[in-house]
Amino acid sequence: MLTKREINKLNKIIESLQEILAKTSTETSGEAVKKSGTPRTRRTGKELAAFRKMLKAERRAGVSAADLAKKHGVSSAYIYQL
């Protein structure tokens, strides 16, 4: 048997989940905003070479690929590819 307090907590959880589902159903995959909120950047030339060199150095230092991916906004597959 659930107490009144537990039922209220469950109702709050259900309401928040319904709000989340309502938000995601209105957005399409192309219109969704990135979590970081910053637009995607394309690195070219010397900047790209320096970025890759820095990533390789951090990986050699023992930083996990997942942490680097989150920090720099790239996929973990890109990190492993280097």
Side-chain angles (χ1 to χ4, degrees), residues 3 9 14 17-18 23 25 29 32-33 35 43-44 47 50-51 53 56-57 61-62 66-67 72-73 76 79:
T3 65
K9 285 182 181 181
I14 291 170
L17 289 174
Q18 287 174 341
K23 276 186 186 179
S25 65
S29 61
V33 177
K35 290 180 183 177
R43 295 174 187 90
T44 57
E47 184 184 11
F51 180 69
K53 186 176 181 180
K56 288 178 186 178
D67 290 340
H72 297 291
S76 57
I79 306 289

Side-chain angles (χ1 to χ4, degrees), residues 5-64:
R5 180 179 239 172
E6 292 171 335
I7 292 171
N8 286 336
K9 285 182 181 181
L10 288 173
N11 285 334
K12 286 181 184 179
I13 292 171
I14 291 170
E15 288 173 8
S16 63
L17 289 174
Q18 287 174 341
E19 288 176 12
I20 292 171
L21 288 174
K23 276 186 186 179
T24 56
S25 65
T26 59
E27 294 178 354
T28 60
S29 61
E31 297 174 355
V33 177
K34 290 179 104 176
K35 290 180 183 177
S36 64
T38 58
R40 186 173 167 180
T41 58
R42 184 177 176 105
R43 295 174 187 90
T44 57
K46 292 180 182 178
E47 184 184 11
L48 177 62
F51 180 69
R52 286 182 174 177
K53 186 176 181 180
M54 183 259 316
L55 287 177
K56 288 178 186 178
E58 288 186 12
R59 281 293 288 155
R60 276 190 233 116
V63 181
S64 73

